[in-house]
């Protein structure tokens, strides 16, 4: 049985506002997160992802408030990421109305965090966010992709494909694979990277980074993505969720 491909708008939240840039630089204001979330819910989004891009301790309180207000307005699953360092942080966000949480930097620093969250709340609440970039030259990883932190600015030397495999083994329920090279460029998802990760992991895979036109979403699904995530094209009105779903239907993909 085929599973419907999910379409997920991503809201990058900084100090209570949605922002978006290219390769995480030159951020522009894209609106109020609760208003945008309600709009996407009405348009037919299957899920919503919130990423707290500043994620300082002050930002964390802001996020809990935004999550609570959004959860009161929308009825689709809500994933929240940014600044999650412990199972208690997860507990706080789930109580505020999040359905899933995304972890990234803290899991790289301490992989046991993945198992701790999965054991306490179940794998289904845990999304591992992998910000990966291509490598070249002498210092490459076995797969040619490296995990980065700090919005793609800091390399870790960790092989992105191996990290996805390890995280799934530790209990991550989904992998959000974000191509840092493609992020915000609207030049299309990194299909090769998607296919390489898909070949090694069995958990659901979310494609992120580079969506520009409806056919990009189709290509990502055909490369192994179970869900497709985008930000700028939805926030600034380049594409609508119904347009993307229509293109996918016409390509023979199952959508909700």
């Amino acid at each position: 049985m085929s599973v419907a491909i999910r379409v997920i708008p991503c809201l990058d939240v900084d100090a209570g506002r949605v922002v978006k840039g290219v390769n995480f630089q030159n951020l522009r204001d894209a609106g109020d997160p609760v208003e945008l979330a309600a709009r996407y819910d009405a348009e037919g989004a299957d899920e919503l992802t919130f990423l707290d891009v500043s994620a300082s301790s002050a930002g964390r309180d802001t996020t809990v408030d935004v999550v609570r207000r959004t959860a009161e307005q929308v009825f689709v699953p809500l994933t929240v990421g940014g600044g999650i360092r412990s199972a208690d942080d997860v507990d706080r966000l789930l109580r505020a109305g999040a359905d899933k949480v995304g972890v990234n930097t803290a899991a790289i620093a301490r992989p046991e965090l993945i198992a701790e969250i999965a054991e306490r709340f179940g794998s289904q609440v845990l999304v591992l966010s992998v910000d990966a970039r291509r490598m070249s030259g002498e210092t490459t990883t076995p797969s040619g992709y490296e995990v980065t932190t700090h919005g793609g600015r800091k390399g870790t030397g960790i092989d992105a494909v191996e990290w996805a495999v390890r995280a799934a083994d530790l209990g991550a329920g989904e992998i959000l694979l974000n191509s840092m090279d493609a992020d915000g460029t609207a030049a299309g998802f990194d299909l090769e990277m998607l296919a390489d990760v898909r070949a090694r992991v069995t958990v659901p895979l979310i494609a992120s980074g580079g969506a520009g036109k409806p056919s990009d979403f189709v290509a990502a699904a055909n490369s192994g993505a179970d869900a497709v995530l985008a930000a700028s094209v939805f926030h600034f009105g380049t594409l609508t969720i119904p347009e993307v779903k229509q293109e996918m239907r016409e390509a023979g993909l199952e959508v909700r």
Side-chain angles (χ1 to χ4, degrees):
M1 179 183 129
S2 62
V3 177
I5 305 291
R6 291 167 286 148
V7 178
I8 308 175
C10 181
L11 308 173
D12 293 319
V13 180
D14 184 12
R17 297 290 291 178
V18 177
V19 294
K20 194 59 201 165
V22 176
N23 302 124
F24 285 74
Q25 304 292 315
N26 305 318
L27 298 179
R28 304 195 266 166
D29 187 277
D32 175 73
V34 183
E35 284 173 22
L36 273 176
R39 187 180 99 199
Y40 293 140
D41 186 23
E43 271 191 18
D46 297 304
E47 294 185 14
L48 292 167
T49 292
F50 268 50
L51 295 177
D52 179 348
V53 294
S54 46
S56 61
S57 51
R60 171 55 52 227
D61 298 333
T62 307
T63 305
V64 170
D65 175 58
V66 170
V67 169
R68 190 174 287 116
R69 289 190 293 123
T70 303
E72 288 166 1
Q73 299 282 333
V74 307
F75 303 99
V76 293
L78 188 58
T79 299
V80 182
I84 293 167
R85 296 179 184 88
S86 68
D88 287 342
D89 289 340
V90 175
D91 187 56
R92 194 155 51 243
L93 288 166
L94 295 177
R95 287 174 190 277
D99 298 280
K100 303 185 221 179
V101 296
V103 295
N104 182 346
T105 310
I108 294 166
R110 200 172 67 81
E112 307 81 57
L113 178 64
I114 296 170
E116 289 165 12
I117 294 170
E119 282 162 19
R120 184 162 158 191
F121 305 103
S123 288
Q124 78 284 349
V125 307
L126 183 56
V127 180
L128 180 81
S129 186
V130 180
D131 291 340
R133 69 178 175 201
R134 288 173 172 266
M135 301 189 74
S136 56
E138 302 289 298
T139 56
T140 190
T141 60
S143 70
Y145 312 112
E146 177 188 31
V147 176
T148 68
T149 61
H150 299 80
R153 290 189 295 279
K154 286 194 178 178
T156 61
I158 297 168
D159 186 291
V161 177
E162 295 302 331
W163 175 230
V165 171
R166 186 178 176 202
D169 288 345
L170 283 167
E174 291 186 83
I175 305 291
L176 167 56
L177 184 65
N178 188 26
S179 165
M180 302 313 294
D181 304 307
D183 180 82
T185 63
F189 294 99
D190 189 330
L191 304 178
E192 191 181 5
M193 184 193 290
L194 269 173
D196 288 350
V197 174
R198 172 80 290 162
R200 298 284 308 280
V201 302
T202 55
V203 298
L205 185 58
I206 306 165
S208 169
K213 54 190 185 297
S215 58
D216 292 338
F217 295 86
V218 173
N222 287 334
S223 295
D226 300 277
V228 284
L229 178 145
S232 312
V233 289
F234 293 142
H235 300 340
F236 300 119
T238 313
L239 298 175
T240 65
I241 292 162
E243 276 179 277
V244 169
K245 288 194 170 187
Q246 185 58 31
E247 181 95 5
M248 291 166 88
R249 271 189 206 100
E250 287 172 4
L253 294 166
E254 190 178 330
V255 292
R256 292 180 184 158

